[in-house]
Amino acid sequence: VTAADQGISEAAPTSNVQHACATNGALAPEIDWGSLGAELYKDNDDWPADARRLVPTSRTISNKTKWLRLTDDKLSPTVIPGDMVAVDPMQPPSNERLALIKCADGSHILRFWRPLADGNFEVFDGSGRTLESKRHGLSVVGAVVGLYREVI
């Protein structure tokens, strides 16, 4: 089966996400999409250990990294509904890697990110649909630094 047979572009980016199987001892809380604005920049040391589900990470992260659970399939096959991604608001995104983006209406989306020559950027989903930052009022919130997929 080829990528084209599965509806995947040959130019699809590689993923920067890593499974959280080997931990460096750091834990980050899982937060809801609806509370991103209030909770994303909060220090993880301020979270009571029993207040939220804490998930281990597999690499060095900032003390503001949070886990978000995906609910849509816009990034399939790289990330699927039910997966959790670790977002570090202290790290900028890398070319064609996953990033958390804030939209003009205040909502947040996860998309692949790439810089444009004019200093702006564009983001795209798993099917290649793009949004340009200047035209759509997008801003970068942080880079995706980890992936956690629960296997049943």
Side-chain angles (χ1 to χ4, degrees):
V1 177
T2 68
D5 293 335
Q6 297 177 28
I8 303 169
S9 165
E10 291 295 334
T14 58
S15 174
N16 64 320
V17 293
Q18 298 179 352
H19 286 277
C21 53
T23 145
N24 64 1
L27 297 172
E30 177 184 352
I31 63 172
D32 297 322
W33 283 89
S35 61
L36 268 173
E39 296 181 340
L40 185 62
Y41 293 97
K42 194 179 201 181
D43 282 343
N44 291 345
D45 293 338
D46 296 338
W47 296 88
D50 60 348
R52 303 280 177 157
R53 178 175 177 194
L54 297 175
V55 182
T57 62
S58 60
R59 59 189 284 188
T60 303
I61 56 170
S62 81
N63 195 30
K64 297 188 184 314
T65 299
K66 306 294 186 293
W67 289 95
L68 295 167
R69 187 172 301 276
L70 262 33
T71 58
D72 66 40
D73 63 354
K74 299 278 192 222
L75 297 170
S76 292
T78 304
V79 185
I80 59 174
D83 284 353
M84 289 193 303
V85 293
V87 175
D88 189 340
M90 306 310 288
Q91 290 192 31
S94 300
N95 190 29
E96 298 197 356
R97 303 297 191 186
L98 287 171
L100 181 64
I101 306 298
K102 186 173 184 178
C103 301
D105 66 1
S107 65
H108 293 84
I109 58 174
L110 275 173
R111 295 293 184 268
F112 295 103
W113 176 95
R114 80 178 137 224
L116 297 174
D118 65 359
N120 290 301
F121 65 89
E122 68 181 359
V123 295
F124 56 101
D125 62 17
S127 68
R129 287 183 293 258
T130 63
L131 297 171
E132 193 269 322
S133 61
K134 186 175 182 182
R135 183 178 323 138
H136 296 284
L138 306 177
S139 59
V140 173
V141 175
V144 172
V145 297
L147 166 67
Y148 185 81
R149 181 171 291 163
E150 294 176 319
V151 181
I152 302 173

